[in-house]
Amino acid sequence: MYSEDMSTRTRLVNATQELLWERGYAATSPKDILQRAGAGQGSMYHHFAGKQDLASAALEESAAMMRADVDILLTGEGSPLDRVIAYLERQRDSLRGCRMGRMTYDADVLATPELLRPVAETLQWVVATVTTVISRGIEEHEFPEGTDAHQLASMVVATVQGGYVLARAQQDPAAFDAAVDGAAGLLRSWSRR
Amino acid sequence: MYSEDMSTRTRLVNATQELLWERGYAATSPKDILQRAGAGQGSMYHHFAGKQDLASAALEESAAMMRADVDILLTGEGSPLDRVIAYLERQRDSLRGCRMGRMTYDADVLATPELLRPVAETLQWVVATVTTVISRGIEEHEFPEGTDAHQLASMVVATVQGGYVLARAQQDPAAFDAAVDGAAGLLRSWSRR
DNA sequence: GTCTATAACGGGATAGAC
DNA sequence: GTCTATCCCGTTATAGAC
């Protein structure tokens, strides 16, 4: 339940963002959303065309938040290698999984272009941004010449996404940490070649 | 619809395995299963206590299949490095994702110990098996001394699991290939240190 | 063992009052 | 703008005939 100074529309979007992260699209009902937002049926159908429309707005908002979070790590302090390792190591709440990545296993999302688009674009953006940082590292001779920046970036992002899967399966964040630590170790070694 | 020489029970389990892979647990209804198996309501409730019981049997069967598939790659021909790379590179149908990994984003599975158990055990087994292969590689001096086999194995399995996520988001197997090629490249480099 | 009929419940959307 | 009442449909399970 949100504070009164947020508009009903905002409370609806926020509640939907949370539920999409926790349970996914198909498993989230309008009733769940309304209860968490402290709103009635009418409000939702006044502000949005329906569940899908609201979910679309919520996903776009979550996508923007994820980009902002990742951007801070990748454009922050330190050398290119430091920043890639910051992206790997500073993920929080690994048991919650990825707001965007989890949607790829929701059949309704895959089948609905408006819902898949923010997911596809955001993950694509993360890979592209890591690729840019690694390319910079190659220019600065922190990574060897001939490094395939896109392959390396794909591996880095996949390690994070897959680390979430392993941690959720074991219900243990240590499984995530082992994966990203393994990737960070290899990257450090690669940069010293 | 399956051939007549399979028992109804077997057809139910097989149909459920397929649907769990394609859509997950919550999104699969008994009706879907019965239609694909070519059976009626009565058959299912005769052989199984309900949807959850049938899904449990199907997941156990899929888990065994996945272990068999992975085992062939990891205990097959070649040096430890070759076998780890075979595991990375010989995944098929990357757009389908992982039978077990996908279940970690299904809230009902997480909340049901009988359903989560095969998922957790199988992914744990894969990481442990890759760890063993890498440890062997360290003994044989194919990997440097001081290599953390468990971290490296976690990274390898996470890359595969995350590669599925990236490929499904883009609806393009190339995203999977880039991730596993990146991991394979780093591993080769690491083994030559 | 397998079938159909039915029931109880919840999801998602609409209607119309306030 | 927000509320409640209502509707239609699909999911899951049960009952009982064959």
Side-chain angles (χ1 to χ4, degrees):
Chain A
M1 190 76 96
Y2 292 100
S3 63
E4 298 299 321
D5 59 342
M6 248 188 275
S7 75
T8 300
R9 195 197 141 95
T10 302
R11 294 205 315 276
L12 285 167
V13 172
N14 289 2
T16 306
Q17 287 182 261
E18 292 177 5
L19 286 163
L20 288 179
W21 199 347
E22 291 167 21
R23 303 155 68 99
Y25 176 72
T28 296
S29 72
K31 195 181 172 186
D32 298 331
I33 295 169
L34 297 172
Q35 190 171 346
R36 189 170 298 205
Q41 291 272 78
S43 297
M44 168 173 151
Y45 286 100
H46 172 75
H47 291 288
F48 301 95
K51 172 185 171 176
Q52 179 181 311
D53 187 38
L54 171 52
S56 177
L59 267 188
E60 294 285 0
E61 183 65 25
S62 293
M65 287 183 175
M66 176 170 158
R67 282 195 294 270
D69 287 349
V70 169
D71 197 58
I72 287 173
L73 297 172
L74 286 175
T75 65
E77 298 288 303
S79 72
L81 174 64
D82 289 340
R83 284 181 270 148
V84 173
I85 287 178
Y87 166 72
L88 279 167
E89 307 261 2
R90 289 205 212 134
Q91 302 291 328
R92 305 180 190 188
D93 288 328
S94 51
L95 289 184
R96 293 185 80 187
C98 175
R99 288 173 276 209
M100 297 294 113
R102 73 158 298 150
M103 298 297 157
T104 62
Y105 281 121
D106 195 311
D108 289 0
V109 172
L110 269 284
T112 310
E114 300 92 303
L115 298 178
L116 179 57
R117 213 203 47 209
V119 173
E121 286 181 358
T122 304
L123 290 175
Q124 153 65 31
W125 175 88
V126 175
V127 171
T129 304
V130 175
T131 302
T132 300
V133 173
I134 292 175
S135 296
R136 185 67 191 276
I138 298 169
E139 288 167 19
E140 297 178 3
H141 307 294
E142 194 179 21
F143 292 114
E145 265 185 70
T147 299
D148 187 319
H150 177 251
Q151 278 185 5
L152 216 53
S154 298
M155 185 223 74
V156 166
V157 179
T159 300
V160 169
Q161 293 295 324
Y164 287 138
V165 170
L166 297 184
R168 287 172 63 86
Q170 307 305 323
Q171 290 294 292
D172 182 358
F176 179 92
D177 297 338
V180 297
D181 289 348
L186 278 192
L187 280 178
R188 274 191 255 268
S189 148
W190 176 248
S191 88
R192 284 195 221 98
R193 265 179 48 118
Chain B
M1 191 77 97
Y2 292 99
S3 64
E4 297 300 320
D5 60 344
M6 247 189 277
S7 74
T8 299
R9 196 197 138 93
T10 302
R11 295 205 315 276
L12 285 167
V13 172
N14 289 1
T16 305
Q17 286 182 261
E18 291 177 6
L19 286 163
L20 287 179
W21 198 349
E22 291 168 20
R23 306 191 197 185
Y25 176 72
T28 296
S29 73
K31 193 180 172 188
D32 298 331
I33 295 169
L34 297 171
Q35 190 171 346
R36 189 170 297 205
Q41 291 271 79
S43 298
M44 170 174 150
Y45 286 100
H46 173 73
H47 292 288
F48 300 94
K51 173 186 171 178
Q52 181 182 309
D53 187 38
L54 172 50
S56 177
L59 266 188
E60 294 284 1
E61 182 67 24
S62 292
M65 288 182 175
M66 178 171 157
R67 282 194 294 268
D69 288 350
V70 170
D71 196 59
I72 287 174
L73 298 171
L74 286 176
T75 64
E77 298 288 304
S79 72
L81 174 65
D82 288 341
R83 284 181 271 148
V84 173
I85 287 179
Y87 165 71
L88 279 167
E89 307 260 0
R90 290 205 211 132
Q91 302 291 328
R92 306 182 187 184
D93 290 327
S94 50
L95 288 184
R96 293 184 80 188
C98 174
R99 287 173 276 205
M100 296 295 113
R102 74 157 297 149
M103 297 298 157
T104 62
Y105 280 123
D106 195 311
D108 289 1
V109 172
L110 269 284
T112 311
E114 301 93 300
L115 298 178
L116 180 57
R117 214 203 49 214
V119 173
E121 286 181 358
T122 303
L123 289 175
Q124 154 64 29
W125 175 87
V126 176
V127 171
T129 305
V130 175
T131 302
T132 300
V133 174
I134 292 175
S135 295
R136 186 66 190 274
I138 297 170
E139 289 167 18
E140 297 179 2
H141 305 294
E142 196 179 20
F143 291 113
E145 264 184 69
T147 299
D148 187 319
H150 178 250
Q151 277 185 5
L152 215 54
S154 297
M155 185 222 73
V156 165
V157 178
T159 300
V160 169
Q161 292 295 325
Y164 288 138
V165 170
L166 296 183
R168 287 172 64 86
Q170 307 305 323
Q171 290 293 292
D172 182 359
F176 179 90
D177 297 338
V180 297
D181 289 349
L186 278 193
L187 280 178
R188 274 191 255 268
S189 147
W190 176 248
S191 86
R192 283 195 224 99
R193 265 176 49 118

